Amino acid sequence: MGGSVTKVAPNPDDGVEVRTPETLQWQDPTRIFKEIDVDSDQTISCDELKSALQKQGYDDVVFATLMGELDLDSDGCITIDEWRKGFYASSFVHVRPPAAEDFADLHGAQRGGCTIAETAKRAITGAQLQRVCSHICRRCKPEGWADKSGKQRTPGTVTLYDAARFVIKPA
């Protein structure tokens, strides 16, 4: 689902406020689901999704991509559970890091990831936190990170939400 490399790009028309991946990542997926589900039957049909996307200026390729990513059981409609599971990971919302970013500075001496089953044991060391802070300092200003209202961030004003958006999720 989130591994798709499809680039979503709207074709804005008639002054409509277009929802882009950069703006959608801050939206409440349940509210958007309700907007698209015009018949309020708790599912988004193909027609409802296609209509909503067309109003935003998106083409049939985007529609087909999203149906493929979000309709997990391939029954031709998207339930609220499918929507919630796939919304932020879909190509419609996922903001990719800069092409040249490999996040190597976050790895330190340890390469590769790991799985820690017990939530209580998922901690970060001081050295790991320092690497994250250095990574934020290196990328924040040059890339022009901004919050959901468009206010520019500095390394000192980056929040955990920003770190999740620009560092954690993409890495």
Side-chain angles (χ1 to χ4, degrees), residues 90-140:
S90 75
S91 60
F92 196 51
V93 177
H94 183 70
V95 176
R96 289 167 179 77
E101 185 55 58
D102 66 359
F103 300 96
D105 55 333
L106 295 176
H107 297 295
Q110 180 184 2
R111 297 296 296 181
C114 66
T115 301
I116 302 171
E118 294 181 55
T119 306
K121 294 183 178 179
R122 295 180 190 166
I124 185 170
T125 67
Q128 290 169 327
L129 181 59
Q130 184 57 49
R131 285 196 299 272
V132 171
C133 291
S134 295
H135 183 90
I136 288 169
C137 289
R138 178 176 62 81
R139 290 185 51 214
C140 180

Side-chain angles (χ1 to χ4, degrees), residues 1-4 6-10 19-30 32-33 36 49 53 58 62 65-66 69-70 83-97 164-166 169-170:
M1 184 183 320
S4 173
T6 302
K7 177 67 177 157
V8 174
R19 290 176 166 156
T20 64
E22 290 76 15
T23 60
L24 277 169
Q25 68 183 329
W26 300 104
Q27 302 293 314
D28 174 13
T30 304
I32 294 172
F33 181 92
I36 297 171
L49 182 61
L53 290 171
Y58 292 96
V62 173
T65 300
L66 286 178
E69 291 176 345
L70 298 174
W83 182 263
R84 286 180 180 145
K85 286 176 186 174
F87 181 78
Y88 289 115
S90 75
S91 60
F92 196 51
V93 177
H94 183 70
V95 176
R96 289 167 179 77
R165 174 184 177 199
F166 293 108
K169 286 182 178 181

Side-chain angles (χ1 to χ4, degrees), residues 4-67:
S4 173
V5 293
T6 302
K7 177 67 177 157
V8 174
N11 298 314
D13 192 20
D14 298 329
V16 174
E17 180 186 346
V18 176
R19 290 176 166 156
T20 64
E22 290 76 15
T23 60
L24 277 169
Q25 68 183 329
W26 300 104
Q27 302 293 314
D28 174 13
T30 304
R31 184 178 57 75
I32 294 172
F33 181 92
K34 289 177 182 178
E35 288 176 15
I36 297 171
D37 181 21
V38 293
D39 63 6
S40 301
D41 68 350
Q42 300 302 304
T43 62
I44 295 175
S45 68
C46 289
D47 291 339
E48 288 171 322
L49 182 61
K50 191 172 210 174
S51 175
L53 290 171
Q54 286 174 341
K55 287 177 186 171
Q56 288 286 306
Y58 292 96
D59 61 22
D60 288 345
V61 174
V62 173
F63 161 73
T65 300
L66 286 178
M67 279 305 290

